[in-house]
Amino acid sequence: MNNKKDRREEIEFRALESNGKALLDREVIETFLSAVHDREEARIIARKLIDNFGIGGVLGQEIDDLKTIEGITDSTVAVILCLKEAAKRVPREELKKGPVMDNLETIVKYLRVSIGYSEEEKMKIIYFDQKCRLKGEEVFTGTVDKVPFYIREVTRKALIRKATSIIISHNHPEGRLKPSDEDEAVTKDLAKACQTIGIRLLDHIIITSVGYFSFKEQGLL
C-alpha cells in the first residue's frame, strides 16, 4: 500500500514541478488510467499501450484494437476515448471562433489528433460558414491505403450545411507526405466542382503522425 502511495506522490511531485513535462509517456497514460484501475494495474497497462502503439498511436486506435491489449476493459477504453476527445476539442474550439485562413497550425493539430494517428486511411471534410468558422465535419473511413471519396457527395453535403468553404484532409498511415497523382487529380476536380456551386476549397491537407502536406501552402490550390 505504501509503495502505491509513494509512486503516486512521486509522479504527482514531478508533474507539478515540471508542469507535466518530466513525466514519461507511459506515466502520463498511467495517471489517467489510475482513475479506473489500481495504480499497479494502470502502470502495467500503460506500459503495454506505449510499447505497442506509442502515445500518439494510443489515441489513434480503434476500440477493438485497444482491447487486444491484456487487461484493458471498457472502462480503460472510455478513459482513452475521453483523452482523445479532449485533445480534439481544444483546437476545435479555436476553429469555431474563426477565421481559419491564417490558422494552419491549429488545423493541423486538430487533424493530427482526429485522423493523423489512425492505422486506417481516413478522409475528413471540414465545413465553414461565411466567416470561416467551423460549421460541421464528417469522416469517411477506408482501408490501410485507400479511402472512398465521392465529389458529388461532398458538395451535396456542403450545400445542405450551407457551407461557403471547405477543407479536406486525409491521412497516410504509412507516413508518406507526398501526394499521389490521384490525390492531385481529385483535388483539382473537387476545386472545380466547388467553384461551380459557389463554395471555395480552402485546402487539401495530407496528415500523418509527424508531419503534413498542404496543397495551398505548396501552391497547388
Side-chain angles (χ1 to χ4, degrees):
M1 185 70 176
N2 287 337
N3 288 339
K4 294 178 182 179
K5 182 177 180 181
D6 290 345
R7 177 169 177 78
R8 184 186 71 245
E9 291 179 346
E10 187 263 335
I11 288 178
E12 289 175 356
F13 174 78
R14 284 192 289 115
L16 292 170
E17 284 292 299
S18 65
N19 286 326
K21 296 177 182 179
L23 297 186
L24 301 174
D25 291 348
R26 59 180 171 77
E27 291 173 331
V28 173
I29 299 297
E30 173 189 334
T31 300
F32 284 102
L33 295 188
S34 64
V36 293
H37 295 282
D38 68 46
R39 198 78 203 199
E40 180 61 16
E41 191 174 38
R43 184 186 67 80
I44 293 171
I45 294 173
R47 183 184 290 276
K48 290 178 181 177
L49 285 168
I50 296 301
D51 287 348
N52 279 273
F53 307 122
I55 192 165
V58 170
L59 301 182
Q61 299 306 307
E62 301 297 329
I63 292 176
D64 289 344
D65 295 323
L66 288 171
K67 287 186 174 181
T68 62
I69 302 298
E70 185 180 356
I72 284 189
T73 65
D74 286 344
S75 296
T76 321
V77 173
V79 170
I80 293 171
L81 292 177
C82 286
L83 274 174
K84 181 175 182 176
E85 186 60 26
K88 287 167 56 178
R89 289 189 186 191
V90 174
R92 188 162 61 200
E93 285 303 307
E94 289 299 311
L95 297 181
K96 285 181 179 179
K97 296 175 184 177
V100 300
M101 299 298 291
D102 299 313
N103 206 0
L104 181 60
E105 182 179 355
T106 298
I107 294 171
V108 168
K109 286 180 180 177
Y110 180 55
L111 292 172
R112 178 161 294 126
V113 74
S114 299
I115 63 174
Y117 295 115
S118 176
E119 294 182 355
E120 298 174 321
E121 191 162 311
K122 295 184 177 183
M123 172 74 73
K124 179 180 274 287
I125 319 296
I126 310 178
Y127 304 93
F128 299 94
D129 64 16
Q130 67 273 19
K131 293 184 179 180
C132 281
R133 296 175 302 196
L134 178 66
K135 189 174 182 67
E137 58 189 292
E138 191 162 10
V139 176
F140 300 94
T141 300
T143 61
V144 293
D145 60 358
K146 192 172 183 64
V147 62
F149 181 71
Y150 306 103
I151 290 176
R152 180 179 296 179
E153 186 69 6
V154 172
T155 53
R156 183 182 73 84
K157 291 191 175 182
L159 289 171
I160 290 173
R161 294 174 182 268
K162 297 182 179 179
T164 58
S165 57
I166 64 173
I167 288 176
I168 67 170
S169 175
H170 75 280
N171 65 314
H172 282 170
E174 82 285 359
R176 176 177 53 87
L177 285 175
K178 184 179 179 181
S180 65
D181 292 342
E182 184 180 2
D183 291 336
E184 294 190 26
V186 166
T187 304
K188 289 179 181 178
D189 290 344
L190 178 59
K192 290 177 183 177
C194 286
Q195 189 175 25
T196 62
I197 57 174
I199 293 173
R200 184 180 176 190
L201 176 60
L202 297 177
D203 206 346
H204 180 179
I205 299 172
I206 297 173
I207 194 80
T208 72
S209 61
V210 296
Y212 74 93
F213 180 97
S214 163
F215 276 66
K216 179 184 176 184
E217 197 173 54
Q218 296 299 320
L220 297 177
L221 261 181

